[in-house]
Amino acid sequence: KEGFEVVYKPYPKEEAGFFYSKVLSKESPKALPRKGATQAIPKELEPLAKEARKFKSAEEFVEAQGEPVYHGSSRVSSETLNKDGYKIPELSRDDGLHFSTSEKYASKFGKTNEAYFEGKIKPKVLKSPEDLPYGEDLLKEGFDGVYYMEDGVKNLYVASPEKLKTKSQLTDLYNQATQ
């Protein structure tokens, strides 16, 4: 039946060797995607998907996104970032996201996660983190991020987390766009 898939699972250990089937609707959180099925690409990601189709491989597409930036965090796992992306609760200097062009520098703050930023960056590099604008002020000026220097390292403050993509998210997008 359209919209449904039969999923076969082994019975518990004590009944080893037997299988049961269960019909799951597409809407069911436990439903497995059909082989060859494609998910619709969200409208806001369609321009990036269009760009992805120009490349022969996911690796080439990811490399074309420019230099990666790194976020060091002990609070958020890589798995969560790859699945849900970067998020901030509200825009302010304290809640913005900070990245570094140096993986070593970012590692001072926890496990590093690689990301690619596609937003509009304010052209002037600020001399220190004390010069950072509030996120909402940065957005009002028409920018999604701004570079600043700290400890001799160029870092990036991001006010638009939706403009960040992990390597895994870019690879998934490439695969969706080219199926």
Side-chain angles (χ1 to χ4, degrees):
K1 204 172 191 186
E2 185 63 33
F4 291 87
E5 179 176 7
V6 177
V7 177
Y8 295 94
K9 294 186 176 187
Y11 268 88
K13 261 186 178 177
E14 59 273 3
E15 298 177 45
F18 294 92
F19 290 84
Y20 69 95
S21 66
K22 183 175 181 181
V23 177
L24 299 171
S25 75
K26 277 184 168 179
E27 289 74 34
S28 170
K30 293 181 181 178
L32 300 175
R34 285 190 223 154
K35 287 185 179 177
T38 59
Q39 292 179 323
I41 295 172
K43 190 176 182 177
E44 66 273 7
L45 291 179
E46 193 52 51
L48 194 56
K50 185 177 179 181
E51 181 187 341
R53 292 182 190 105
K54 297 175 186 174
F55 294 90
K56 293 179 183 175
S57 71
E59 292 77 22
E60 284 181 17
F61 171 61
V62 171
E63 283 179 26
Q65 301 310 303
E67 291 297 315
V69 289
Y70 303 92
H71 180 72
S73 176
S74 56
R75 292 183 279 181
V76 181
S77 73
S78 296
E79 293 80 23
T80 301
L81 290 174
N82 286 330
K83 181 178 157 229
D84 300 333
Y86 290 93
K87 293 181 173 42
I88 49 179
E90 56 186 75
L91 296 175
S92 75
R93 183 186 341 234
D94 296 332
D95 292 324
L97 296 171
H98 297 264
F99 292 80
S100 181
T101 57
S102 163
E103 186 173 11
K104 183 177 178 181
Y105 185 79
S107 71
K108 290 178 17 176
F109 303 98
K111 184 178 178 189
T112 59
N113 296 290
E114 184 178 283
Y116 295 83
F117 185 66
E118 62 172 345
K120 189 172 180 185
I121 298 175
K122 194 170 185 170
K124 182 180 177 186
V125 176
L126 304 177
K127 293 180 182 178
S128 76
E130 287 78 33
D131 298 332
L132 287 173
Y134 283 95
E136 51 197 23
D137 293 339
L138 190 62
L139 291 173
K140 284 178 190 172
E141 292 178 37
F143 298 104
D144 301 303
V146 63
Y147 281 110
Y148 65 94
M149 297 301 293
E150 185 173 35
D151 297 333
V153 177
K154 188 174 170 184
N155 297 298
L156 176 65
Y157 170 75
V158 175
S160 299
E162 68 279 1
K163 304 281 183 168
L164 290 156
K165 302 289 180 260
T166 65
K167 184 176 184 177
S168 175
Q169 288 172 319
L170 290 169
T171 300
D172 290 347
L173 179 65
Y174 174 85
N175 291 333
Q176 279 185 286
T178 58
Q179 284 186 346

